[in-house]
Amino acid sequence: MEIGTIGAGAFAQAFAKRALKAGHKVKLSNRRGPDSLREIVNQLGSGATAAAKEEAALCEMVLLAVPWDNVPETPASLPEWNNQILIDGTNPFHGQDEDFTPADVGNLSTSQLVAALAPGARVVKALNNMIVSNLEADPIVNGARRVVFISADDDGAKKRVQTLLEGFGYSVIDLGNLRDGGLIQQAGGPLAGRNLLEQGERHK
């Protein structure tokens, strides 16, 4: 499968490494255009390409990985969504480069706001419990699988993302819908940033 990324920072690059290792292709994009990504895609290797964000958004599955302050303007700069799966990896923080202040999103999850900004996309919240270093690390730790969480209002899209992440090597736990599940795993929720492992059965 070919997966697009809207945003090409550390989180998107870590995701791309996992996707490429699992045998997928990745089109990375950012606001500055493909030429600014040549070095990154060269480092990522075979299967990674630099693309305009409009092209990356046409992939059947797309990762949204931009700073929260850029979220409102980003969907408006993209083509209309046509049933693609949009994986929301954003968190409600103003600022960047570790100078963060929490954003007020009321009692909505970030993914509910993303879904409202991207009509026609099937939004799935995922990976918000993973900090970049853990996403970059091996999904298997001493025989135990790292746990990731997903939530969505579209069960079909959620199942597709679950299959994708299980293919990366993760143990996937379904937290339910965009609102309730999203609030639990996004920044400020009880599962945000948690490095959790699921121990498999031991075989004698």
Side-chain angles (χ1 to χ4, degrees):
M1 177 171 55
E2 192 167 57
I3 304 170
T5 76
I6 308 301
F11 183 83
Q13 291 176 46
F15 175 89
K17 290 175 185 177
R18 296 262 66 87
L20 292 167
K21 190 169 185 179
H24 302 286
K25 296 181 178 181
V26 180
K27 285 186 175 180
L28 290 100
S29 73
N30 63 8
R31 291 187 299 171
R32 295 185 300 278
D35 287 343
S36 68
L37 298 172
R38 300 301 180 194
E39 184 176 346
I40 290 172
V41 297
N42 286 338
Q43 290 174 349
L44 289 170
S46 177
T49 57
K53 61 184 186 296
E54 295 83 1
E55 182 183 357
L58 295 177
C59 294
E60 61 180 299
M61 196 174 288
V62 181
L63 173 71
L64 180 64
V66 299
W68 183 249
D69 288 335
N70 296 344
V71 167
E73 68 190 43
T74 298
S77 67
L78 299 173
E80 289 187 7
W81 296 91
N82 186 25
N83 220 34
Q84 299 103 306
I85 294 173
L86 180 59
I87 302 173
D88 176 26
T90 64
N91 269 309
F93 282 123
H94 296 302
Q96 50 188 320
D97 297 328
E98 299 185 4
D99 183 20
F100 295 119
T101 57
D104 182 9
V105 292
N107 65 347
L108 298 177
S109 73
T110 58
S111 296
Q112 286 179 292
L113 295 177
V114 168
L117 291 167
R122 297 188 288 162
V123 176
V124 179
K125 188 70 163 175
L127 297 170
N128 270 182
N129 68 302
M130 301 283 284
I131 61 174
V132 170
S133 59
N134 288 337
L135 187 57
E136 288 178 328
D138 197 308
I140 311 295
V141 183
N142 297 324
R145 291 190 297 164
R146 295 186 192 274
V147 173
V148 297
F149 301 99
I150 58 174
S151 52
D153 294 336
D154 184 306
D155 288 339
K158 184 161 51 176
K159 183 63 177 176
R160 289 282 307 281
V161 175
Q162 178 177 344
T163 299
L164 174 76
L165 297 178
E166 287 175 344
F168 288 5
Y170 297 120
S171 175
V172 181
I173 296 177
D174 183 348
L175 296 178
N177 62 30
L178 279 184
R179 182 186 183 279
D180 298 333
L183 288 172
I184 292 171
Q185 63 170 302
Q186 72 185 33
L191 298 178
R194 300 291 187 183
N195 183 27
L196 304 175
L197 302 173
E198 181 181 63
Q199 181 66 54
E201 293 183 6
R202 293 182 179 273
H203 298 282
K204 295 182 179 180

